[in-house]
Amino acid sequence: MNIAKSLLLLAILLPALGFPAHPEENNAISNFISNEFSSSAIEKEIWLNSELKRDIKNIMQHDYHQFRIKYWKHQTRTAWVLEEIGKERLITSGFIIHNKQIEKTKVLQYRESRGSEIQRDFFTQQFIGLTINQKNKLDKPIDGISGATLSVRAMKKMAALALYLHDHVNQTPQHL
């Protein structure tokens, strides 16, 4: 295999294994976690079994591209860093969940050429306090942004997924 093919394969596999592909993304994630949690937060991961994959597929409306998802936990608060394609490129977002509702949403890496308004507070603040219903859908509507429909849809899916995963890890006995 030549070097170009090896690098392409690495670029595809690293995100699929749960590793961010770019150093600036690592910094954004580290800053998000350190700003939201004390040093006592524990980094964990959840491996996606067949039940989780099925439920995630229903939430995301496609198979999720990772085998595991990292998260951070301190007492009953969790932090999730998730990715979803907007129109053509990945959007990386962080979600803080507490008491089964969204406490904070932040776009950590926006790669699309349009729709960057989803990074602004007026948009992300709409997610604060949201929960999911029994169908794993957000319990309240999110106002869209003209020209960013697919990015808004991606954010809504990631928010629902973060809430679902929070519920899952807080209901499932954790094995040491």
Side-chain angles (χ1 to χ4, degrees):
M1 189 181 308
N2 67 29
I3 293 175
K5 286 183 181 178
S6 296
L7 289 174
L8 178 61
L9 183 60
L10 186 62
I12 292 169
L13 287 178
L14 283 179
L17 293 172
F19 299 106
H22 303 289
E24 65 270 8
E25 186 173 333
N26 282 328
N27 289 337
I29 292 169
S30 295
N31 289 340
F32 176 71
I33 300 304
S34 65
N35 287 338
E36 298 302 322
F37 281 103
S38 67
S39 60
S40 59
I42 300 170
E43 182 178 319
K44 297 182 167 221
E45 59 187 28
I46 182 172
W47 285 86
L48 304 184
N49 62 27
S50 58
E51 177 188 342
L52 283 170
K53 287 179 184 178
R54 182 196 69 229
D55 289 347
I56 291 170
K57 184 175 185 174
N58 287 334
I59 293 167
M60 302 301 284
Q61 301 170 349
H62 62 79
D63 290 322
Y64 199 64
H65 65 279
Q66 294 181 343
F67 304 118
R68 64 184 171 92
I69 300 174
K70 283 196 312 186
Y71 67 100
W72 293 259
K73 185 170 184 169
H74 179 67
Q75 297 175 349
T76 59
R77 286 175 82 216
T78 59
W80 301 89
V81 175
L82 302 171
E83 293 185 318
E84 176 64 339
I85 292 179
K87 182 176 181 182
E88 298 169 339
R89 297 181 176 236
L90 283 175
I91 300 166
T92 304
S93 296
F95 299 88
I96 304 294
I97 312 295
H98 187 236
N99 292 332
K100 296 188 172 203
Q101 62 184 358
I102 295 175
E103 185 177 283
K104 181 166 187 169
T105 301
K106 182 167 179 67
V107 177
L108 303 173
Q109 187 81 27
Y110 190 78
R111 299 170 184 90
E112 296 282 0
S113 60
R114 303 175 105 185
S116 63
E117 295 86 357
I118 70 163
Q119 300 175 90
R120 301 218 173 125
D121 287 344
F122 77 86
F123 178 74
T124 59
Q125 287 177 353
Q126 295 181 83
F127 291 88
I128 295 172
L130 294 185
T131 62
I132 50 173
N133 60 29
Q134 290 185 351
K135 295 182 179 181
N136 295 322
K137 303 285 184 195
L138 296 177
D139 67 334
K140 294 180 184 161
I142 296 293
D143 291 335
I145 297 173
S146 180
T149 302
L150 298 176
S151 295
V152 169
R153 191 173 299 152
M155 288 295 294
K156 290 166 50 175
K157 289 183 206 176
M158 288 187 286
L161 180 57
L163 287 160
Y164 168 81
L165 292 170
H166 173 84
D167 285 350
H168 178 78
V169 299
N170 283 304
Q171 290 175 3
T172 303
Q174 299 298 306
H175 303 288
L176 300 174

